[in-house]
């Protein structure tokens, strides 16, 4: 079973030699320095730092991404040509200040050779410029700011392997206007760059086509009870578009049904509104039929995704969230790049170049990096929550192939909106 799965995932690539246990640290205290990154020993480890929220509001998201990365290492290799991959997982709590402090310790004390970037967009914006300026490669989850993209180009040692807030949401805005024929909607978004950009992308395309935003509602990142936000939605609005994740997403979907809105006002959102980091906590009746614009749908019928999703379910008892797929893909990129270096990282710049050059088909679909933003050109989907064999899944109903980071906007239209929403909410 495992060898056939690895064959599907790697397109027949040979399995990596030798397997060693991954070093896992919930924090940094137990993980000290173990030498220089420039070691040329035949058994020198590859030191990886991984910043994740393992406590707090985004715990489920962080755990899902960590599980995906661990499964990826299990499938693609925990060592490459005799060089063990050592991973220090640092709990940044989803807080930018904590994440930056953890990143500094990973770089200066643990002497990591690559960082798998933070999960929360505001933490990414704080960490990426520091890490990249130190010459350390960083594979980020999300493209959060123009400064981050500029640092990728300036230092040549970083990229975003998963997504940005515009590719999917501009597709969603166009679909809402042209297919659903909605003409005025309300948006609800997390009050940080992730929410501002997701809502901003949707609103930019929706209003460009002639739509109107009735009201924009912003949710603080530490809010758990969604009742006040749901109750402030105008009952006259035609539909609601939501950019929330994890616990907040689950609580919102449940509250939306409890307040009776689901029967009268269609609910749509970004990937994370109903991905598997949130969906198991959502009432099946509340989640059924909810639409998302997504770069990953766990119910995608492709052979690569089915192999991954079923393997993840076997390992963890749940289907993968978008965070799980992102972590899994990060592992494949890292191992593939290390293979080209024979596992011996004598230059972080060479490792970054090798990681940037990796192209393959992930569970979400083909992944190629844009050399403008160093973030993915990839498929985007319109997904619907359905009961599949007794389990609520996100099933793609429409596919848009090879969507650029700026989505349906032109690069010239996107750039100023991206800059604004990196630091403040959009206004429409």
């Amino acid at each position: 079973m495992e060898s056939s799965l690895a064959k599907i995932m790697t397109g027949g690539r040979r399995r990596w030699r030798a397997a060693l246990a991954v070093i896992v640290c919930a924090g940094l205290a137990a993980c000290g320095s173990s030498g220089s990154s420039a070691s040329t020993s035949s058994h020198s480890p590859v030191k990886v730092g991984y910043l994740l929220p393992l406590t707090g509001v985004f715990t489920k998201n962080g755990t899902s991404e960590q599980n995906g990365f661990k499964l990826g290492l299990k499938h693609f290799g925990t060592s490459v040509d005799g060089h063990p991959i050592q991973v220090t997982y640092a709990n940044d709590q989803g807080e930018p200040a904590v994440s930056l402090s953890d990143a500094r310790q990973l770089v200066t004390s643990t002497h990591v050779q690559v960082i798998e970037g933070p999960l929360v967009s505001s933490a990414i914006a704080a960490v990426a410029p520091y890490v990249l300026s130190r010459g350390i490669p960083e594979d980020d989850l999300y493209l959060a700011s123009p400064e981050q993209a500029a640092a990728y180009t300036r230092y040549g040692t970083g990229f975003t392997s998963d997504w940005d807030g515009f590719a999917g949401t501009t597709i969603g805005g166009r679909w809402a206007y042209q297919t659903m024929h909605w003409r005025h909607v309300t948006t609800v978004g997390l009050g940080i760059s992730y929410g501002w950009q997701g809502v901003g992308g949707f609103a930019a395309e929706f209003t460009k086509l002639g739509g109107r935003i009735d009201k924009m509602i912003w949710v603080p990142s530490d809010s758990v009870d969604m009742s006040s936000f749901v109750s402030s939605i105008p009952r006259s609005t035609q539909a609601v578009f939501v950019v929330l994740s994890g616990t907040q997403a689950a609580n919102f979907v449940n509250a939306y049904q409890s307040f009776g809105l689901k029967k009268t006002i269609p609910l749509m959102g970004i990937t994370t509104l109903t991905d598997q980091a949130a969906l198991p906590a959502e009432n099946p009746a509340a989640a059924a039929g909810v639409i998302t614009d997504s770069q990953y749908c766990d119910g995608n019928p492709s052979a690569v995704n089915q192999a991954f999703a079923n393997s993840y379910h076997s390992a963890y008892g749940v289907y993968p969230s978008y965070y799980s797929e992102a972590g899994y893909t990060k592992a494949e990129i890292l191992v593939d790049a290390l293979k080209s270096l024979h596992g011996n990282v004598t230059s972080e710049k060479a490792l970054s170049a090798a990681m940037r050059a990796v192209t393959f088909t992930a569970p979400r679909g083909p992944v190629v990096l844009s050399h403008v933003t160093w973030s993915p050109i990839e498929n985007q989907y319109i997904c619907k929550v359905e009961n599949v064999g007794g389990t609520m899944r996100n099933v793609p109903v429409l596919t848009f192939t090879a969507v650029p980071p700026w989505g349906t906007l032109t690069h010239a239209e996107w750039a100023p909106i991206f800059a604004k929403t990196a630091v403040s909410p959009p206004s429409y």
Side-chain angles (χ1 to χ4, degrees):
M1 165 83 179
E2 188 171 294
S3 61
S4 62
L5 175 62
K7 185 173 181 181
I8 291 173
M9 296 299 179
T10 62
R13 292 193 297 266
R14 65 178 178 83
R15 300 294 301 275
W16 307 115
R17 296 178 301 175
L20 271 122
V22 176
I23 295 178
V24 179
C25 304
L28 293 173
C31 301
S33 171
S34 58
S36 167
S37 65
S39 171
T40 58
S41 165
S42 61
H43 300 293
S44 58
V46 178
K47 297 182 181 180
V48 180
Y50 212 130
L51 296 162
L52 291 165
L54 300 176
T55 57
V57 174
F58 304 108
T59 299
K60 183 64 175 177
N61 307 356
T63 302
S64 296
E65 187 175 335
Q66 183 183 50
N67 286 344
F69 190 73
K70 288 180 178 179
L71 186 66
L73 290 181
K74 179 181 177 182
H75 288 169
F76 303 117
T78 55
S79 72
V80 177
D81 288 352
H83 295 269
I85 299 172
Q86 295 182 347
V87 186
T88 300
Y89 293 102
N91 176 17
D92 69 1
Q93 305 167 46
E95 297 290 340
V98 177
S99 197
L100 182 56
S101 177
D102 285 352
R104 286 182 173 134
Q105 289 195 58
L106 287 169
V107 171
T108 61
S109 298
T110 312
H111 302 297
V112 297
Q113 296 156 296
V114 59
I115 282 184
E116 301 292 346
L119 182 147
V120 178
S121 64
S122 53
I124 295 171
V127 167
Y130 165 74
V131 171
L132 299 174
S133 71
R134 298 299 296 263
I136 305 298
E138 181 168 312
D139 177 0
D140 287 316
L141 179 73
Y142 181 83
L143 184 64
S145 71
E147 291 76 19
Q148 179 187 354
Y152 291 158
T153 299
R154 182 182 311 119
Y155 300 112
T157 54
F159 61 98
T160 297
S161 66
D162 199 61
W163 70 319
D164 72 88
F166 292 85
T169 58
T170 56
I171 289 287
R174 178 172 291 185
W175 182 84
Y177 189 89
Q178 293 184 342
T179 301
M180 298 305 292
H181 305 293
W182 297 334
R183 293 298 180 263
H184 59 100
V185 304
T186 292
T187 64
V188 180
L190 185 61
I192 60 174
S193 59
Y194 171 67
W196 299 334
Q197 290 169 354
V199 167
F202 179 91
E205 180 64 15
F206 188 72
T207 58
K208 185 175 78 169
L209 293 171
R212 183 180 81 247
I213 305 300
D214 292 329
K215 185 177 184 180
M216 287 185 168
I217 300 168
W218 301 109
V219 178
S221 59
D222 60 352
S223 295
V224 177
D225 186 352
M226 296 292 114
S227 299
S228 64
F229 307 108
V230 173
S231 64
S232 66
I233 294 171
R235 295 313 192 257
S236 60
T237 203
Q238 203 169 7
V240 176
F241 179 78
V242 181
V243 182
L244 294 171
S245 68
T247 299
Q248 290 183 324
N251 291 348
F252 185 92
V253 169
N254 291 336
Y256 199 80
Q257 184 194 40
S258 296
F259 277 74
L261 271 66
K262 192 185 179 203
K263 294 180 180 179
T264 58
I265 306 175
L267 181 60
M268 180 182 181
I270 203 167
T271 305
T272 52
L273 182 63
T274 61
D275 88 317
Q276 294 291 344
L279 191 53
E282 294 172 0
N283 185 308
V290 173
I291 296 291
T292 56
D293 50 55
S294 307
Q295 81 278 15
Y296 176 66
C297 304
D298 61 275
N300 190 319
S302 74
V304 173
N305 181 62
Q306 286 298 305
F308 162 64
N310 292 333
S311 179
Y312 189 94
H313 187 269
S314 295
Y316 301 112
V318 294
Y319 286 101
S321 71
Y322 118 74
Y323 300 98
S324 311
E325 193 273 349
Y328 187 85
T329 297
K330 282 172 172 285
E332 182 166 10
I333 291 170
L334 176 63
V335 174
D336 223 28
L338 289 172
K339 177 185 177 183
S340 71
L341 301 174
H342 305 289
N344 195 18
V345 182
T346 58
S347 163
E348 282 83 3
K349 190 73 174 282
L351 175 59
S352 178
M355 293 175 73
R356 283 178 163 196
V358 172
T359 60
F360 60 100
T361 297
R364 78 186 83 135
V367 177
V368 178
L369 293 182
S370 161
H371 288 197
V372 176
T373 58
W374 291 106
S375 61
I377 300 167
E378 59 190 359
N379 292 352
Q380 300 293 332
Y381 306 90
I382 299 298
C383 296
K384 183 179 181 181
V385 177
E386 297 180 356
N387 187 318
V388 179
T391 302
M392 303 305 285
R393 305 287 300 276
N394 292 279
V395 179
V397 295
L398 195 59
T399 302
F400 301 84
T401 60
V403 178
W406 37 89
T408 60
L409 304 175
T410 66
H411 183 273
E413 290 171 330
W414 165 80
I417 302 171
F418 179 44
K420 174 179 172 55
T421 55
V423 295
S424 62
S427 54
Y428 287 90

